Amino acid sequence: MKLPIFVCVSLSLAVSLAAQSQPGITGKWTTQTEVQGIAVNETCMLKQAADGALTGTCDTPGGKFAVTGKANGGNVTFSHPAAYQGEDMTVSFFGKLDSPESITGSIDMQPINAGGAFAMKKIGN
């Protein structure tokens, strides 16, 4: 009878440790982007759910926008609406968690078909 209990406890501990080893995205991040030679800085508050879903907001020069996305292992993707010169668009980020405090990758802005690079640094929880 002791063996099944030991196995259950061991499996529970292994699952718990695996969940804790996933890098967390939840927190406050500064984002530096460059799109077609134009630098734009944002501050984003991101929250990562247990299933990897990302929500939150990004404060941009054009306003504060809701974020949706996903973190899966070291891959991070999210997007938010924006406006540029009166045109509504979607800004999408495709990145890699380089460390617990750093994400880098590419950015895509549609429908204006513009792209570039971004770097994020975690500055708080």
Side-chain angles (χ1 to χ4, degrees), residues 23-81:
I25 306 298
T26 297
K28 186 174 185 179
W29 296 79
T30 59
T31 305
Q32 298 175 327
T33 63
E34 185 172 328
V35 178
Q36 297 180 339
I38 300 171
V40 178
N41 296 325
E42 302 181 1
T43 301
C44 299
M45 287 296 301
L46 301 177
K47 183 175 180 184
Q48 180 180 359
D51 66 356
L54 293 179
T55 57
T57 59
C58 285
D59 284 319
T60 76
K64 187 173 189 174
F65 300 98
V67 169
T68 58
K70 184 86 172 169
N72 184 8
N75 296 314
V76 179
T77 59
F78 66 94
S79 62
H80 64 72

Side-chain angles (χ1 to χ4, degrees), residues 10 20 39 52-53 57 74 82 114:
S10 296
Q20 290 176 3
T57 59

